[in-house]
Amino acid sequence: MKEYDVIIIGSGVAGLSAAYPLRQAGKSVLIVEEDLWGGTCPNRGCDPKKILLSGVEAQRKVSQLIGKGFNSVPSIEWEKLQAFKRTFTDPVSENRQQALAQAGIDYKTGTAQFLNENEIELNGQLFKAEKFVIATGQRPSILQIEGKEYLKTSADFLSLDHLPEKIIFIGGGYVAFELATIAHAAGSQVTIIHHNTHPLKEFNEPLVQELVKQMEEFGIMFEWNIETKKIQPKGTQFQLITEDREYQADAIICSTGRQPNIASLNLDKANVATEKSGIRVSSTMQTSNPAIYACGDVVAKKQPKLTPVATFEGTYVANHILQPTINKITYPLIPTIVYASPKLAKVGITKEKDEGSYRTESIDLTNWFTYHRRNDPMAKAELLFDQENYLVGATVLSESADELINDLMLMINQQLRAKDLNQFIFGYPTMMSDIPYLMK
């Protein structure tokens, strides 16, 4: 039996963010991965999605300037865009392993299973550690319906060699909106089917409805209050069957959420408590077994399950293992972004929370120079200020919402008011140079 100071299960950003500082501090570290090294984000998640989205963004910018310097909208060549994406994704696993070796971190591929509170079995071998870190992330959920074997997931979509002509996305969350945007821009006929009329429920409904309207105008179809009962093949296509309707497509993507990767770990033998959304942790990221930590998307938490959050938690876990007396984890403001077209982003307090305590400013930015110069069809922002006129929350809907939301996050964190910005001279014209006018 080989012993380590720390064994980390999962090689995504959470696990790697813990592994490197622990090794640099002199700890012996083993990291275990049962699938692709590097985890979901760089292999089949946010990074490849953003590469495909780059084609959408380029196409959209040109389409908005038809008759204003351009006379045709470029088509996306899916196979070439996918080939470009693979120049990034294909080397990830090997690069991550090489980096671990260079850092002196042991790594093994296989499925780890706890035997007790401080031992695991891996590929028929036993390993023991003083501390463990579980960072196994999540995987796409599949509807438990008849014909579920015909459903595809977001990972399947991101690796499609050829784009189907007609695609149905089931779900009303980030993934459905983002992948539908990519598929439609690349030439597919796209329908989003949702079981109620409230997609993207974490966001302010008026801006969500505006996003839906914009997507519909681009040609994406929405079907509301649809409960999927069955999937079945029909010729070369597939049918989605409800109580009283049938929909047909070349591919049906299930984007109805994600579930924690914990089934194979035998966590009951390690005295680690779980719930449906993941592993329970304390304010120091320790599980019900104090020698075992958990971080990243595998954790049951109220914070969004995003890559930068996982990185933040992994770094905290390493620090807590090295200095158990440090304070409990405290999360900063976390921006969240829907990479649709237009993009929808928010940070801080939203309108639905205690509306009477704040002043709300709804601003139509469409005719501001930043957006008018690109002929963006619309741009809107909703800002919340407290009683002392400090910005406490923001939601933005525009093609540049992902850029502006980070600027607004800094305004909130630094507690800057409009008068404070007068001491700065920003590069112009830029998103940042718009901030003083937004804050007034």
Side-chain angles (χ1 to χ4, degrees), residues 58-60 62-66 70-76 185:
Q59 183 192 65
R60 185 58 46 84
V62 174
S63 69
Q64 290 170 185
L65 293 173
I66 295 301
F70 293 87
N71 55 25
S72 63
V73 178
S75 60
I76 294 175

Side-chain angles (χ1 to χ4, degrees), residues 1-7 28 119 126-130:
M1 179 186 298
K2 189 165 184 179
E3 297 187 19
Y4 289 88
D5 293 321
V6 184
I7 294 177
S28 59
E119 293 179 345
L126 301 184
F127 297 87
K128 185 176 183 179
E130 180 181 343

Side-chain angles (χ1 to χ4, degrees), residues 306-413:
L306 302 170
T307 294
V309 179
T311 301
F312 184 84
E313 292 173 348
T315 302
Y316 172 86
V317 165
N319 290 334
H320 194 269
I321 290 174
L322 297 172
Q323 302 178 56
T325 58
I326 66 171
N327 294 332
K328 65 182 182 180
I329 190 167
T330 302
Y331 292 90
L333 287 175
I334 303 170
T336 56
I337 305 165
V338 181
Y339 285 99
S341 183
K343 301 178 182 73
L344 181 63
K346 73 180 179 92
V347 68
I349 299 171
T350 59
K351 184 175 180 180
E352 285 79 4
K353 295 180 179 179
D354 198 10
E355 184 176 355
S357 300
Y358 304 101
R359 173 174 61 87
T360 301
E361 291 286 342
S362 297
I363 307 171
D364 189 335
L365 306 170
T366 309
N367 291 321
W368 288 35
F369 180 73
T370 298
Y371 308 94
H372 182 68
R373 69 181 179 85
R374 299 182 310 220
N375 201 35
D376 285 357
M378 62 78 56
K380 294 183 178 181
E382 188 169 273
L383 309 181
L384 269 71
F385 297 88
D386 66 13
Q387 295 178 355
E388 297 182 5
N389 211 34
Y390 287 107
L391 182 67
V392 295
T395 306
V396 181
L397 178 64
S398 78
E399 293 293 346
S400 306
D402 53 334
E403 299 176 32
L404 182 56
I405 204 67
N406 283 329
D407 294 337
L408 293 172
M409 181 267 292
L410 291 173
M411 297 300 103
I412 299 172
N413 268 329

Side-chain angles (χ1 to χ4, degrees), residues 29-237:
V29 178
L30 168 67
I31 189 163
V32 179
E33 175 58 59
E34 70 173 0
D35 193 10
L36 294 175
W37 286 88
T40 296
C41 182
N43 286 291
R44 55 169 73 101
C46 43
D47 288 347
K49 175 196 71 183
K50 196 68 186 291
I51 293 174
L52 297 180
L53 190 68
S54 66
V56 179
E57 293 169 331
Q59 183 192 65
R60 185 58 46 84
K61 287 179 179 179
V62 174
S63 69
Q64 290 170 185
L65 293 173
I66 295 301
K68 297 173 175 62
F70 293 87
N71 55 25
S72 63
V73 178
S75 60
I76 294 175
E77 297 183 53
W78 181 261
E79 289 77 11
K80 291 182 179 179
L81 185 59
Q82 277 283 23
F84 175 55
K85 182 211 74 177
R86 292 189 179 104
T87 64
F88 176 85
T89 57
D90 285 357
V92 168
S93 278
E94 183 177 349
N95 289 346
R96 294 298 187 273
Q97 292 175 76
Q98 289 177 351
L100 290 169
Q102 291 171 1
I105 298 171
D106 287 353
Y107 59 94
K108 292 185 179 294
T109 301
T111 300
Q113 294 183 312
F114 281 95
L115 300 177
N116 50 53
E117 294 188 1
N118 61 359
E119 293 179 345
I120 62 168
E121 181 181 3
L122 176 68
N123 300 332
Q125 294 180 291
L126 301 184
F127 297 87
K128 185 176 183 179
E130 180 181 343
K131 304 288 184 184
F132 287 85
V133 179
I134 302 172
T136 49
Q138 294 181 304
R139 66 183 184 277
S141 297
I142 292 292
L143 288 175
Q144 297 303 302
I145 57 174
E146 183 179 349
K148 64 182 180 180
E149 64 271 20
Y150 300 115
L151 292 171
K152 301 295 185 182
T153 68
S154 58
D156 296 320
F157 174 85
L158 292 172
S159 62
L160 285 171
D161 290 322
H162 306 287
L163 190 68
E165 292 184 9
K166 190 174 183 180
I167 304 178
I168 291 173
F169 292 90
I170 305 174
Y174 290 66
V175 174
F177 275 67
E178 294 172 345
L179 300 190
T181 296
I182 294 170
H184 176 263
S188 286
Q189 179 182 331
V190 174
T191 302
I192 293 177
I193 287 177
H194 191 42
H195 66 88
N196 59 36
T197 58
H198 301 288
L200 299 172
K201 59 182 182 294
E202 302 90 347
F203 289 83
N204 296 350
E205 187 170 356
L207 289 181
V208 172
Q209 292 305 316
E210 181 65 41
L211 170 58
V212 170
K213 177 184 174 183
Q214 292 293 317
M215 294 176 69
E216 286 178 329
E217 290 182 359
F218 291 139
I220 295 173
M221 294 172 284
F222 290 83
E223 296 284 348
W224 308 112
N225 293 317
I226 301 296
E227 289 286 350
T228 303
K229 300 295 183 181
K230 178 182 177 181
I231 307 295
Q232 66 182 24
K234 185 176 182 179
T236 60
Q237 294 186 310

